[in-house]
Amino acid sequence: MILVTGGAGFIGTNFVLDWVAAVGEPVVNLDKLTYAGNIENLASLQGDARHVFVQGDIGDTALVARLLAQYQVRAVVNFAAESHVDRSIHGPAAFIETNVVGTFGLLEAVRQYWGQLPEPEKAAFRFLHVSTDEVYGSLRASDPAFTEENKYEPNSPYSASKAASDHLVRAYHHTYGLPVLTTNCSNNYGPFHFPEKLIPLMIVNALAGKSLPVYGDGQQVRDWLYVRDHCSAIRAVLEAGRLGETYNVGGWNEKPNLEIVHTVCALLDERRPRADGQSYATQIAYVTDRPGHDRRYAIDARKIERELGWKPAETFDTGIRKTVDWYLENPEWVARVQSGAYREWVSTNYSERTTA
Ligand code: NAD
Ligand code: TYD
């Protein structure tokens, strides 16, 4: 059995669904269900013994220790985090609490459990920490893409908290020998993406007739990775990654934000034309820039390809079409997320259940 943390968030949801379908090994999913956690995403696994959901905090070492022992966990994949840069600017405390203190608590529980495992389980155990390219800081237009050798230069409270957790993970390997793996990926997009991040926000705002807020000049560059490609990369690293190593995961899709917004608008114009015949692009509004906004991220994903044979399956063109179609086909998901109704389901469904 594997323990996935943050498995009710955007990437965690996709990972759990893909894992159960592709691997079939049971998953214990530990998620605190913050605003970003939506257990309705995993409704298709209800009643499936391969998915055990537990609401709780990664920093709760007693709970984590109990789950590790009870389910004889062979690997942990740590997605749980506060993940939104803008929220980290308005309220950094939660980022320190979960991303730094929480990861520390998780590592402590895992270290204790792993230390008592008999061989060969001890040698086979894995702790995979999911991190971000944002820890490397901002690139100039002429700089080469981030490799695993780039130094850490985090600029936002979010990226600083992720960098701190990456350092703890590294230290637990170096000091205690904990068998860790770290992945640093670029901006994910795809189904179940909470509409506070660029791509889903633009899709849902466009359809709702709202403005499409572009920060600053819209020329900030990100690399875009289709979420299911990220999931396959994590499976590859978990299976064959070298212990203590870091793997950068990217989609080879560097694009300025404004181009992303225009692409989304063009797809919506094609698939769901506005009643007045105008383009959704007329809804674009330039708004004040994000403080400390990183100008460019780019990922050099050659190491994971060289060592593990992983390459993304989607181009941006194929991935963004799938994404826009998913949002068009799931208006109820969007409505329940926007109204907050998805949170009621948790109390309805879980209040009378005991945790596993
Ligand atoms: P998300 O915000 O959608 O989901 C995070 C999940 O973690 C939620 O389900 C939330 O309830 C849960 N959580 C938060 N605090 C918790 C705690 N203390 N204990 C247990 N669960 C908790 O995030 P995401 O986009 O799915 O990102 C997952 C991971 O990938 C994060 O570590 C993030 O830093 C990293 N990452 C994301 C991206 C991206 O583009 N989304 C890019 C690079 C790295
Ligand atoms: P985001 O999805 O928040 O991811 P990150 O900041 O982690 O890269 O933002 C992606 C880019 O889009 C980033 O440069 C900020 C920009 N952006 C906007 O221009 N408008 C918006 O409303 C949002 C949410 C983001």
Side-chain angles (χ1 to χ4, degrees):
M1 197 126 174
I2 65 165
L3 172 66
V4 170
T5 72
F10 161 49
I11 305 174
T13 288
N14 282 283
F15 182 81
V16 169
L17 291 173
D18 277 12
W19 179 270
V20 169
V23 182
E25 184 181 3
V27 176
V28 191
N29 179 357
L30 173 64
D31 196 298
K32 188 175 172 183
L33 297 181
T34 66
Y35 79 93
N38 183 350
I39 191 61
E40 285 187 350
N41 295 349
L42 296 166
S44 63
L45 293 178
Q46 221 177 350
D48 189 323
R50 293 171 300 177
H51 179 240
V52 178
F53 179 72
V54 178
Q55 185 172 5
D57 197 312
I58 53 165
D60 182 345
T61 48
L63 171 63
V64 175
R66 185 164 66 75
L67 296 176
L68 291 168
Q70 183 176 346
Y71 294 104
Q72 298 181 357
V73 168
R74 70 161 185 93
V76 175
V77 183
N78 183 31
F79 291 103
E82 289 292 338
S83 69
H84 188 35
V85 174
D86 293 317
R87 284 182 191 256
S88 84
I89 295 168
H90 290 286
F95 288 72
I96 304 306
E97 201 49 53
T98 282
N99 301 1
V100 187
V101 183
T103 303
F104 167 68
L106 179 66
L107 281 166
E108 274 294 274
V110 170
R111 177 168 78 88
Q112 298 264 333
Y113 168 76
W114 168 79
Q116 292 164 6
L117 283 177
E119 295 292 358
E121 285 84 355
K122 190 173 181 187
F125 188 84
R126 295 290 180 269
F127 181 93
L128 192 153
H129 179 63
V130 178
S131 190
T132 168
D133 58 3
E134 305 194 19
V135 296
Y136 298 122
S138 186
L139 293 169
R140 287 168 305 204
S142 57
D143 287 337
F146 299 129
T147 72
E148 293 78 1
E149 307 305 317
N150 273 67
K151 66 178 175 179
Y152 272 32
E153 287 184 339
N155 291 320
S156 71
Y158 163 67
S159 54
S161 68
K162 291 295 290 185
S165 65
D166 296 4
H167 289 323
L168 283 169
V169 170
R170 177 190 158 87
Y172 271 60
H173 176 67
H174 190 78
T175 303
Y176 305 114
L178 191 70
V180 308
L181 299 153
T182 298
T183 54
N184 293 79
C185 68
S186 54
N187 285 54
N188 286 219
Y189 67 104
F192 303 107
H193 204 180
F194 197 82
E196 65 179 357
K197 306 276 173 75
L198 181 73
I199 288 179
L201 182 90
M202 294 300 157
I203 299 171
V204 307
N205 273 18
L207 293 170
K210 295 183 182 162
S211 69
L212 308 179
V214 171
Y215 297 167
D217 63 3
Q219 293 308 314
Q220 303 83 5
V221 172
R222 300 289 182 263
D223 172 68
W224 294 92
L225 171 67
Y226 190 64
V227 65
R228 297 190 67 171
D229 278 331
H230 185 199
C231 295
S232 69
I234 290 175
R235 290 202 301 274
V237 173
L238 194 58
E239 198 179 311
R242 285 187 294 129
L243 293 186
E245 290 289 316
T246 289
Y247 293 90
N248 283 357
V249 187
W252 300 108
N253 290 307
E254 260 190 77
K255 304 213 179 280
N257 294 337
L258 196 58
E259 187 182 326
I260 300 284
V261 178
H262 276 291
T263 302
V264 166
C265 290
L267 281 172
L268 289 173
D269 288 341
E270 180 189 306
R271 302 263 205 281
R272 184 73 52 89
R274 265 174 46 160
D276 63 4
Q278 294 219 53
S279 170
Y280 288 99
T282 59
Q283 291 167 230
I284 291 174
Y286 291 90
V287 299
T288 311
D289 209 351
R290 170 188 283 171
H293 200 169
D294 284 339
R295 196 68 180 164
R296 175 175 166 239
Y297 306 136
I299 281 270
D300 180 334
R302 282 178 296 179
K303 178 178 173 184
I304 187 171
E305 180 174 352
R306 194 174 57 243
E307 290 193 12
L308 306 177
W310 177 88
K311 273 197 292 196
E314 303 291 343
T315 63
F316 189 71
D317 185 51
T318 59
I320 194 68
R321 280 172 189 274
K322 286 183 180 175
T323 306
V324 168
D325 285 348
W326 187 86
Y327 281 86
L328 288 172
E329 285 156 16
N330 290 278
E332 258 186 42
W333 183 90
V334 173
R336 289 181 67 75
V337 164
Q338 288 187 318
S339 72
Y342 71 107
R343 307 201 75 178
E344 290 156 24
W345 190 86
V346 174
S347 50
T348 312
N349 190 52
Y350 290 96
S351 59
E352 287 170 14
R353 291 169 192 245
T354 52
T355 50

